[in-house]
Amino acid sequence: MTDRTLFHNARFLSMDPSDREYGWVMVQDGRFEAMGEQGHGTEHLTEGDDVVDLRGAVVLPGFVEAHGHPTTEMGILSPQTLDLRASTCGSAREVMEVLSDAVAAAGPSDWVVAFGWDPLLLPDLPEMSGELLTELSPTVPLSVLHQSIHVSWANRAALDRLGLTAQTPDPPGSSYERHLDGTPTGKALEIPATLVLMGESAQPSPEQFDDYLANRLWHMARRGVTTTGDLAFDPAHEQHMVDHFAERGGPVRVRSYEVTGARAPVDPVPTDSTLYRQVGVKMWKDGSPWVGNIETSFGYRESQATRALGLHAGHHGCSNYSHEQLREICEAYYPKGWQIACHVHGDIAVDDVLDVFEQIDREHPRSGYPKFRIEHAGAMTESQVRRAHTLGVSISYFAAHIYYYGEVLRDFFGERADSWVAAGFASKCGMPFSLHNDPPVTAEDPLLNIRTAVTRLTRAGRVMGPEHAVSVREALRAQTIYAAQQLLSDHEVGSIETGKLADMVVLEDDPLTVAPERINDIAVLGTWLGGQRAFDASSTRH
């Protein structure tokens, strides 16, 4: 393929400010050079140009995953990891058989690791604990990570191999549950402690890094993603990432956010790479509704789902970080020029995060948008969204929560669940927002996010808070140009415009015209990164 290519015979939805549509685009040196609404563009061909006939498909700028975790995911879902997610194992019995079979087949030097423990979608699972895993595997190390990644468990053999004792300090912002004498029980809460219990499998070796990362990025590309955030990035991977993209290229661009506290704060390093760069830092305020550690003004209700978590009616969670600790983190990074992204669900916790953001920006004013991001925003209220918009804070909504866990949220919180991840609040006040899957918590699926934000439909067919739905066009923007803006990359990706990188997703049907509940059934035919084919659904690869 030459450095100039005509793509035609398709409907190109630009997602530019005017929402223009085109019939053809010309790409040169990896960027959009020209486009036209009429004709096939063949009159612009010169000798040596290539032509790609898209056979009547619908083309958008490549989907952007604003809140992904590729370098975490490549360890959690490595080839050695048992996948216990409810979408993979259809019953509690199957989950326990998978664990038992793996332990039986393991050698004395092996370590059995599993991801996706989910008693909410599989309520017949036994209560998980380090003691249960020790019963299942008295001698072979065995670790299990909850589907939320906010809690994990390990048996006694794993704790011994890790060298965790009563004297082992808790990692910042996370903890090991302990017996009265201080020895670990085998349960960990919050990252990084939860990943520590998973052993070396959560951190691929340098020899495995390239293949493991390429595998996870390919899985994103097959869902139409061409750019992703990495919002739990370990700076120890920095040189591996730089080398990987220099030597291998795509198929997906990465914008990383290193975990706060992983090293002493450093200044951002300018780079001209369009494939990989660091753009921000990531911190946590509270935890996960599936664990019970989110700080809300309302409690959990009496229900089977609440009991499955080991919680009581009226339970209120708390935050992992205090106001002063958040301030200290922001003071260390924000004046250096970093964008700050904060994981937060509970409405009380959101107030505290916004207070800190407002104070920090007042003391260290700077231009640009977004300077701050709020991640997930489960119980965030309309007034809080409006305040965030005024402060220049952007929101990335975990839309898949509604689809997968809508009924569970209703069991937890009653009518308050109807306004969970209410993207409609952002739409009403004119805030650009994004939608995300938080993989591996839920599998990458931008079209499902779009369908969910538009319909508010759960997997069981319930409509939750229809008044909080957004239009299809706005949901598409939330997976393209708005998400690119959050990753500080809207100058180069997120829309089909002259001069931007020629990243495209090719769809079998048009999300604007199919029935909204069918949007996630649209097939991804392929993706193009910088005008080069990154994924082809007709290929036999994998």
Side-chain angles (χ1 to χ4, degrees), residues 11-13 15 21 56-60 447 450 472-473 476 506-516 518-523:
R11 185 179 174 209
F12 294 85
L13 308 181
M15 297 293 112
E21 298 182 8
V58 174
V59 181
L60 282 89
L447 289 167
I450 292 164
V472 176
R473 194 172 291 276
L476 289 172
V506 183
L507 302 178
E508 186 178 41
D509 212 335
D510 187 350
L512 292 170
T513 60
V514 303
R518 286 194 52 248
I519 289 174
N520 62 307
D521 295 327
I522 297 173

Side-chain angles (χ1 to χ4, degrees), residues 331-346:
E331 284 278 9
Y333 289 94
Y334 189 72
K336 292 181 177 292
W338 291 110
Q339 185 197 67
I340 308 286
C342 186
H343 165 122
V344 59
H345 273 298

Side-chain angles (χ1 to χ4, degrees), residues 31 62 74 106 112 161 181 191 211 213 227 233 261 287 317 344 359 386 399 407 453 463 485:
R31 295 180 181 268
M74 70 185 191
V112 179
R161 191 173 294 187
D181 64 359
I191 298 169
D211 288 342
L213 178 62
T227 299
F233 185 71
V344 59
Q359 293 164 11
R386 291 186 179 279
E407 281 72 28
V463 179
Q485 184 182 64

